[in-house]
Amino acid sequence: MADARSEILSRIRRALRGAPDLPLPPGGSLCPSARYRTEVGRDLLERFLREAEAVGVRVHRSPGGELVQTVVEILRAEGARRVGVAEEIRALIAPLRAAGFEAGGVEVAREAEAGVTGADWGLAETGSLVLLAGPTQDRLLSLLPPVHIAVLPEDRILPDLDALFERLGDVPTALTFITGPSRTADIEQTLTPGVHGPGVVHVVVGGSLP
């Protein structure tokens, strides 16, 4: 064992023999991770939208009071008639019914063609959505229907995972990260969407509830 250890260390020393001697950054300067977070944080919204699109999320901007209109347009484009709406945004149920949809709460999750939920946070670095566990967060509606629509307030976008855990403090009992539509290559190494969750994910950034 000692001989093997010596041999490994000798190989490492030989490999490092020609490596440049990099100086430590001067005191008070930003470390690489801090510089990176500063870069990401310069325009959180645009970075989030770009990264979300890169992983297959269909992104929508909904300023002012256009949230209902935006959600209705998405549902019609997806051909969804039965819609499950999470408790924290249940104010959408009445206007969706008025628009001709069969809208209900989590009780319709298994039959719903689309689920509409809030998103507690968005991560600009990866374009991920974060859903926390709680009495009003119906995670089934983000998992069972083939189409998931998440409503994300613009001021809930954070730079990265480190910033999220700084905000959370104590980690909740359940935390759902959604980075693009569900997909797997388990079957014959062929990438297939929608096997373990929604095959289509929309995020609506901004807007206000009726």
Side-chain angles (χ1 to χ4, degrees):
M1 181 64 72
D3 290 341
R5 180 175 180 275
S6 298
E7 177 61 24
I8 292 171
L9 292 175
S10 296
R11 290 179 184 177
I12 294 173
R13 292 188 189 98
R14 290 196 295 270
L16 293 176
R17 196 164 289 159
D21 186 16
L22 298 177
L24 293 174
S29 66
L30 292 174
C31 68
S33 61
R35 284 199 301 270
Y36 174 73
R37 181 178 292 188
T38 300
E39 184 68 28
V40 171
R42 282 177 182 158
D43 196 337
L44 287 177
L45 176 59
E46 292 306 318
R47 176 66 182 261
F48 173 82
L49 297 179
R50 184 169 67 250
E51 296 298 331
E53 287 182 333
V55 295
V57 175
R58 303 176 189 183
V59 299
H60 310 264
R61 298 287 299 277
S62 180
E66 301 174 5
L67 178 59
V68 174
Q69 178 183 343
T70 303
V71 173
V72 166
E73 290 174 355
I74 294 170
L75 292 171
R76 287 176 176 163
E78 294 291 349
R81 301 301 302 170
R82 293 185 297 275
V83 185
V85 180
E87 178 67 24
E88 75 272 19
I89 54 171
R90 66 174 296 105
L92 281 175
I93 292 178
L96 289 181
R97 287 176 176 171
F101 296 95
E102 300 174 25
V106 69
E107 71 279 358
V108 304
R110 296 185 184 279
E111 297 80 27
E113 296 158 328
V116 186
T117 74
D120 294 282
W121 303 98
L123 303 183
E125 181 183 29
T126 57
S128 302
L129 299 169
V130 183
L131 278 64
L132 306 183
T136 63
Q137 184 61 274
D138 302 319
R139 289 189 297 149
L140 283 178
L141 290 171
S142 70
L143 297 171
L144 291 183
V147 176
H148 176 210
I149 303 171
V151 178
L152 174 66
E154 187 173 333
D155 61 1
R156 304 290 283 184
I157 299 175
L158 300 174
D160 51 27
L161 195 60
D162 287 342
L164 172 66
F165 286 118
E166 287 173 4
R167 291 291 187 97
L168 292 178
D170 295 330
V171 179
T173 55
L175 194 59
T176 301
F177 292 90
I178 300 172
T179 307
S182 165
R183 63 194 72 161
T184 183
D186 290 345
I187 304 171
E188 298 184 353
Q189 302 301 302
T190 301
L191 190 64
T192 306
V195 175
H196 303 301
V200 178
V201 176
H202 295 263
V203 58
V204 181
V205 180
S208 57
L209 291 171

